[in-house]
Amino acid sequence: NVDPESLLPKLPSPEELRPFPTTCATIFHGHEGRVRSLAIDPTGTYLASGGDDGTIRVWELLTGYQLWSIRLSKEEAVNVVRWRPGRDAVILSAATGEDIYLIIPFALPSLSPEVEEASRAILDAGWGYATSTTSTNALAVKKEPPARWERTEPRLEDKGALIRISVRSTVKVISWHRRGEYFSTVSPAGQSHSVAIHTLSKHLTQLPFRRLRGLAQSSAFHPSKPIFFVATQRAIRSYDLSKQELVKILQPGARWISSFDVHPLGDNIIVGSYDKRLLWHDLDLSNKPYKTLRYHQKAIRAVKYHPSLPLFADASDDGTLQVFHGKVVGDMMENATIVPLKVLRGHTVVKELGVLDLEWHPREAWCVSAGADGCCRLWC
Amino acid sequence: SEILDSSLADIKFMWLEGGLQLEFGAEEIVELIEALFAESLRRYALSSLVNSLLDTPRPVPFEFLINGQFLRTSIDDFLTANGISAEAQLDVEYVRALVPPVHVTSFEQDAWVSSVDVLSRSSEAVAWARGGESPMAGQERILAGGYDGLFRVWSMSSDVLATSASAGEGGHTAAIKSVKWLAPSKLVTGSLDRTIRLWNYSESGGETSPTLTPTLELYGHKSGIDSVAVDTPSSRILSASGDNSIGLWSTQKYDAPEAPKNLLPSASAIANKRRKLNKTSSRTVPQRGPLSLLSAHTAPVSSAIFNPNDPTVAYSASWDHTLRTWDLPTSTLVDTRTTSHPLLSLAAMPGVNLLATGTSARHITLIDPRASATTVAAMTLRGHNNAVVDLAVDPRSPCGLVSASHDGTSRIWDIRSVRTRGVGEGGVQGQIGESVYVIEREARAGKEGKRIVAGDGVKVFGVCWDRDVGIVSVGEDKKVQINRGEGLGAGLIEGGR
Ligand SMILES: [Mg+2]
């Protein structure tokens, strides 16, 4: 007689899966109102955050000291902040209302004169590109371009916000291609303009989809292949950018997707939903999720893989983050190992809203979270 | 008892403090041992006995170490708890007990205080000056650097004697992260503005208040400077930077290389614009470059220090988890020790051949940097609840250490106060030490027990342990806080010399 339990593969205990974040190490005070988005810079030493007060702030990651801030808008919230990948330059992107800003935060210690010059060169390269190309094509002039790239007024320019890209509908998501040349934005209410891909060196904005089935929620570039992912409320579609064709449609089974992330190796995707589900998709398996996890009592706002360690986490309106071990094996025959590790508590739920965004440190098993309570937290 | 039957030669008595070793007569040893192994004898009784044996002019509290562990219970309980049999050899040491450090005074600055250094007649900067000016008792000076880019010189009576120039008047343009006295009239600061600056400090003006004059600006780092270390006899400064490198600099204008043009503020469009807006000071300060920049670390360097016994050797601790040894004359990397966590602070304990490094993972690791050492971590000191970001050694004991942590406390450690790793305490090698005393922020006094999450509002950023002044710690509460163990037997030790 064999105990059926003994045939199940043994999951490792959390103790064996260190390191993973367990305690709050820093609380970042300063925002008035909700913090909606945050991001750690590529060197892993600064935290950028944006929120309802219309400001972006950059902080020393370990101490919580505010190094720099800018008020982008008096009326509108900063919905998203994301660093441009790469160490060659220090460029922060952010969106408030229908405006996307590209910013060199002037007060950062890492912004030596050389890096400042390199960062400016990257932002300045595209000036004049649009006019020089449209002048060769008289017909195109009639058509209003999907976005306007322009210089900012002195108040913003003096702080380092050098470029404003105005689109037609409120931008909620920015995601960069790993090489730092392209980034996509999502404006859920924008209909045919809801997903845009921007080319930095040409100051060019393109709309890859004439029509999407459902409201766009989020988008992401594949970490290594020319594949682009777009999430609508119910499905995630992947497109081959070079062949201009649909590759796959994932059906997570969630009623309303809030966020998704692509594994650094590119073959797995995690999806979070407003209906409290966390779903793991293995792209080599079916278009249905490989695992469905229901740990939260409220909506899941953000999901994120660690860029180098076998960790992932989600952030929820119940005020907590849940940290998981998620080991992906290169072998196609073996499925991912998923172990819940830790619930991170500390954010206060304010008016039904809890943790609105999360991000991992580029190297360490640390994550940061943005709270509706007006604070960011670093978890180590 | 049975223990008394074992050879007296097996029991060693040592006086470890102040370099003084006392020998006892045989009768005294017998008397001591009889007392030692009397039932239920505790530290206090032993301490009185040793005082009478030593014929101390006034009672000095002593602590006892048996086989390297502090005696906290009765001898009997101790032997039982540690499974020591009657036949075993016992190493008994007695050391002057640390008295709980009490709050002496606190000064408040305008911004978070990042770093601190003390000038007293026992400080290195005065010893280096060799018979030059030496502050009398009560005339000590405290140097404190802040996140507002300013540093202040404080007197012991809470007066600000001098404040550095603001950014618009030629001072640092970003937070100061590190301050050190080079000599009683010379100091150095390192800042997030990527520069290291040297200043002259003079109180010789008589009636006029003390003056601070910038004398040298050092350029070469491409990111902020987290810490500086000084060796005045060799005119050298070490810097640890967020650009992953370590800088070696000369304090002398004449033997310092030219400053790299591409890193000067004039190379930056923004800084130029900013300078036009600000009223630039008419005084021009000489600018110089590094003697060398040492690269190998793959993440920000948090601390770089000189080997106290040989300033041609440097040690560095980095966020990349490594502790590295450098040969400065040849600018070569000699050794790399890899740990499991980002390293945020570093101090040398030359008396015991160890380096202490504070981690983001809430502990302090003691590392033997000598090539012969086989294990990475000789010992782990546990107790902090957040990152350990600064360390200073006890000026009176080779085994003492104070740490500054983002948990809002400074902790005092004696590396002889250890226990062996218990069951289930995975991950660390060797022995585990626990702190002897915890210094809270004074603003929090009386609120004991209620731990502040993440040290929010009370993070400690810097600490200095001076023989005359005591333990000076600075932090997020904008305070410079002085604690001292009153009644320490300093007079006795000095009298014994
Ligand atoms: Mg430090």
Side-chain angles (χ1 to χ4, degrees):
Chain A
N1 280 349
V2 181
D3 174 10
E5 285 283 316
S6 70
L7 294 176
L8 290 172
K10 281 267 184 300
L11 282 180
S13 81
E15 198 58 36
E16 301 162 33
L17 300 173
R18 287 178 187 281
F20 56 86
T22 53
T23 52
C24 178
T26 312
I27 306 177
F28 303 78
H29 300 280
H31 279 289
E32 291 160 35
R34 293 184 279 258
V35 188
R36 297 207 178 203
S37 179
L38 83 183
I40 300 179
D41 85 303
T43 71
T45 41
Y46 312 118
L47 173 71
S49 62
D52 280 9
D53 58 7
T55 68
I56 303 175
R57 293 156 198 259
V58 178
W59 319 78
E60 224 177 21
L61 181 66
L62 275 193
T63 62
Y65 184 76
Q66 186 182 307
L67 292 165
W68 175 93
S69 75
I70 190 170
R71 188 173 294 277
L72 288 182
S73 167
K74 286 200 176 72
E75 301 86 26
E76 301 223 55
V78 173
N79 282 313
V80 54
V81 291
R82 292 291 177 255
W83 295 95
R84 174 186 174 273
R87 304 269 193 113
D88 53 332
V90 177
I91 294 172
L92 184 61
S93 60
T96 174
E98 297 165 7
D99 297 328
I100 303 152
Y101 288 91
L102 297 175
I103 306 162
I104 304 173
F106 282 154
L108 290 204
S110 56
L111 207 70
S112 68
E114 284 178 323
V115 175
E116 180 198 317
E117 218 51 57
S119 308
R120 277 178 180 274
I122 287 168
L123 292 189
D124 286 345
W127 290 122
Y129 179 89
T131 45
S132 64
T133 47
T134 47
S135 63
T136 60
N137 182 353
L139 288 175
V141 178
K142 286 183 195 163
K143 224 175 162 187
E144 180 73 11
R148 206 168 61 243
W149 292 61
E150 58 188 9
R151 292 183 201 275
T152 55
E153 54 273 27
R155 179 185 73 83
L156 295 176
E157 193 194 338
D158 287 348
K159 282 269 188 179
L162 301 184
I163 295 179
R164 173 167 43 230
I165 308 159
S166 302
V167 296
R168 296 199 194 150
S169 182
T170 297
V171 174
K172 298 276 193 177
V173 175
I174 297 175
S175 38
W176 282 87
H177 183 265
R178 71 182 190 287
R179 282 208 295 267
E181 164 68 341
Y182 307 100
F183 64 96
S184 69
T185 55
V186 176
S187 309
Q191 292 167 351
S192 67
H193 284 67
S194 61
V195 179
I197 294 181
H198 311 268
T199 306
L200 191 49
S201 66
K202 297 176 178 171
H203 288 194
L204 178 70
T205 298
Q206 289 165 299
L207 306 173
F209 307 109
R210 223 165 288 138
R211 201 173 146 261
L212 272 177
R213 297 163 70 87
L215 287 178
Q217 298 298 308
S218 189
S219 67
F221 293 92
H222 189 282
S224 51
K225 296 176 192 160
I227 288 174
F228 185 64
F229 298 89
V230 176
T232 54
Q233 283 162 292
R234 300 274 180 117
I236 297 175
R237 290 175 174 78
S238 60
Y239 300 89
D240 187 317
L241 289 176
S242 53
K243 293 184 196 152
Q244 303 265 320
E245 64 183 27
L246 178 68
V247 179
K248 196 171 264 198
I249 305 178
L250 298 179
Q251 306 279 4
R255 263 176 286 169
W256 196 322
I257 295 168
S258 59
S259 126
F260 74 95
D261 194 27
V262 184
H263 189 272
L265 295 177
D267 295 329
N268 291 270
I269 283 182
I270 42 171
V271 184
S273 79
Y274 291 109
D275 47 311
K276 312 168 202 173
R277 276 167 236 246
L278 175 62
L279 310 121
W280 180 298
H281 276 271
D282 186 328
L283 297 181
D284 295 329
L285 301 176
S286 78
N287 62 351
K288 295 280 188 286
Y290 155 66
K291 270 254 157 47
T292 299
L293 305 160
R294 291 198 55 161
Y295 282 98
H296 289 289
Q297 283 138 31
K298 294 279 170 58
I300 293 173
R301 292 265 165 187
V303 292
K304 210 70 63 91
Y305 281 112
H306 193 285
S308 54
L309 299 169
L311 292 168
F312 65 101
D314 64 7
S316 164
D317 275 338
D318 64 16
T320 70
L321 296 104
Q322 172 96 45
V323 180
F324 297 87
H325 170 82
K327 179 115 179 148
V328 173
V329 197
D331 184 358
M332 295 247 292
M333 303 308 292
E334 205 175 327
N335 292 331
T337 312
I338 299 169
V339 184
L341 293 175
K342 180 79 189 171
V343 179
L344 300 174
R345 297 172 205 280
H347 284 291
T348 313
V349 176
V350 179
K351 293 182 182 162
E352 306 288 309
L353 297 175
V355 188
L356 305 181
D357 196 14
L358 87 99
E359 174 106 1
W360 288 99
H361 188 272
R363 301 179 302 272
E364 299 298 330
W366 305 345
C367 63
V368 287
S369 55
D373 58 7
C375 296
C376 302
R377 282 172 179 250
L378 167 67
W379 307 88
C380 291
Chain B
S1 74
E2 287 170 281
I3 293 168
L4 275 178
D5 298 333
S6 66
S7 165
L8 281 181
D10 287 344
I11 302 172
K12 300 173 189 166
F13 293 91
M14 285 183 284
W15 175 271
L16 289 180
E17 307 282 345
L20 201 68
Q21 292 218 350
L22 288 182
E23 302 270 336
F24 289 101
E27 294 148 47
E28 288 170 325
I29 292 179
V30 173
E31 195 182 335
L32 184 63
I33 291 169
E34 274 171 356
L36 204 57
F37 299 110
E39 302 240 337
S40 306
L41 192 65
R42 286 169 185 275
R43 184 191 72 79
Y44 181 79
L46 278 175
S47 183
S48 326
L49 181 78
V50 174
N51 270 290
S52 76
L53 283 172
L54 286 174
D55 201 17
T56 51
R58 61 192 164 102
V60 175
F62 288 105
E63 293 268 16
F64 293 84
L65 290 140
I66 298 180
N67 288 353
Q69 289 191 64
F70 275 97
L71 175 65
R72 297 289 184 220
T73 58
S74 74
I75 300 264
D76 251 18
D77 291 349
F78 181 90
L79 296 179
T80 312
N82 290 278
I84 299 171
S85 73
E87 289 77 30
Q89 170 179 316
L90 288 184
D91 283 340
V92 183
E93 299 169 20
Y94 66 97
V95 294
R96 189 172 25 75
L98 266 175
V99 175
V102 298
H103 177 246
V104 179
T105 181
S106 290
F107 318 139
E108 182 154 348
Q109 303 207 150
D110 297 336
W112 295 10
V113 190
S114 61
S115 49
V116 66
D117 197 21
V118 170
L119 187 74
S120 78
R121 71 210 146 104
S122 60
S123 60
E124 235 174 4
V126 167
W128 286 329
R130 276 190 222 105
E133 327 95 288
S134 166
M136 305 296 287
Q139 299 294 303
E140 294 89 357
R141 300 289 177 252
I142 292 174
L143 171 62
Y147 271 80
D148 53 4
L150 305 178
F151 65 86
R152 288 179 172 81
V153 179
W154 292 88
S155 75
M156 292 307 290
S157 44
S158 312
D159 294 317
V160 175
L161 300 175
T163 304
S164 64
S166 66
E169 291 160 339
H172 280 294
T173 58
I176 291 175
K177 277 303 189 88
S178 189
V179 293
K180 287 279 178 335
W181 291 103
L182 283 156
S185 60
K186 222 169 159 58
L187 57 96
V188 60
T189 53
S191 162
L192 289 187
D193 71 6
R194 300 180 291 278
T195 68
I196 296 155
R197 300 185 192 212
L198 274 71
W199 311 74
N200 275 345
Y201 172 73
S202 168
E203 292 186 15
S204 59
E207 300 274 295
T208 57
S209 52
T211 54
L212 272 172
T213 321
T215 57
L216 199 56
E217 293 179 2
L218 299 174
Y219 291 85
H221 279 302
K222 296 179 176 178
S223 191
I225 286 138
D226 214 38
S227 83
V228 292
V230 298
D231 183 64
T232 301
S234 63
S235 312
R236 292 292 181 265
I237 295 173
L238 279 173
S239 57
S241 169
D243 68 6
N244 306 358
S245 78
I246 295 140
L248 178 67
W249 316 79
S250 172
T251 60
Q252 308 292 336
K253 250 195 320 246
Y254 59 81
D255 71 354
E258 228 179 283
K261 291 262 179 317
N262 58 337
L263 293 178
L264 294 177
S266 52
S268 151
I270 302 147
N272 271 338
K273 193 169 173 182
R274 206 180 288 134
R275 282 200 306 178
K276 274 176 209 156
L277 295 175
N278 289 326
K279 237 188 4 209
T280 313
S281 131
S282 55
R283 189 189 291 113
T284 51
V285 180
Q287 300 170 328
R288 291 293 184 273
L291 295 167
S292 62
L293 289 173
L294 310 174
S295 312
H297 283 296
T298 57
V301 188
S302 52
S303 187
I305 59 171
F306 291 97
N307 177 339
N309 298 322
D310 178 4
T312 66
V313 172
Y315 303 110
S316 60
S318 163
W319 288 48
D320 71 4
H321 303 192
T322 68
L323 190 148
R324 297 182 198 256
T325 305
W326 305 85
D327 181 59
L328 295 176
T330 57
S331 300
T332 44
L333 175 65
V334 175
D335 185 49
T336 299
R337 298 297 167 97
T338 304
T339 72
S340 312
H341 303 283
L343 304 179
L344 304 178
S345 49
L346 183 60
M349 304 180 76
V352 289
N353 285 314
L354 290 174
L355 295 171
T357 179
T359 74
S360 66
R362 306 174 280 275
H363 60 260
I364 298 159
T365 301
L366 299 181
I367 294 173
D368 185 342
R370 292 170 300 181
S372 55
T374 46
T375 52
V376 173
M379 194 187 295
T380 307
L381 307 180
R382 295 189 173 271
H384 276 300
N385 299 310
N386 209 339
V388 181
V389 295
D390 203 16
L391 293 166
V393 291
D394 184 343
R396 285 197 177 85
S397 161
C399 301
L401 194 65
V402 65
S403 54
S405 167
H406 285 183
D407 68 7
T409 68
S410 306
R411 282 172 197 252
I412 298 172
W413 312 82
D414 185 310
I415 64 164
R416 292 163 301 193
S417 175
V418 294
R419 61 185 168 84
T420 309
R421 177 161 46 110
V423 182
E425 290 178 286
V428 283
Q429 292 169 284
Q431 293 179 300
I432 293 174
E434 283 159 346
S435 65
V436 182
Y437 290 112
V438 180
I439 303 174
E440 305 265 355
R441 299 311 283 170
E442 189 50 25
R444 289 247 313 135
K447 293 174 204 161
E448 266 173 66
K450 212 178 155 211
R451 214 183 102 198
I452 296 181
V453 175
D456 197 27
V458 290
K459 292 185 203 79
V460 186
F461 297 134
V463 68
C464 179
W465 198 341
D466 180 81
R467 196 181 175 112
D468 297 307
V469 172
I471 293 172
V472 188
S473 54
V474 296
E476 190 179 3
D477 60 4
K478 307 180 187 174
K479 297 268 175 55
V480 177
Q481 178 175 323
I482 304 177
N483 290 75
R484 196 180 305 153
E486 294 291 352
L488 284 183
L492 174 72
I493 289 167
E494 284 178 356
R497 270 192 183 150

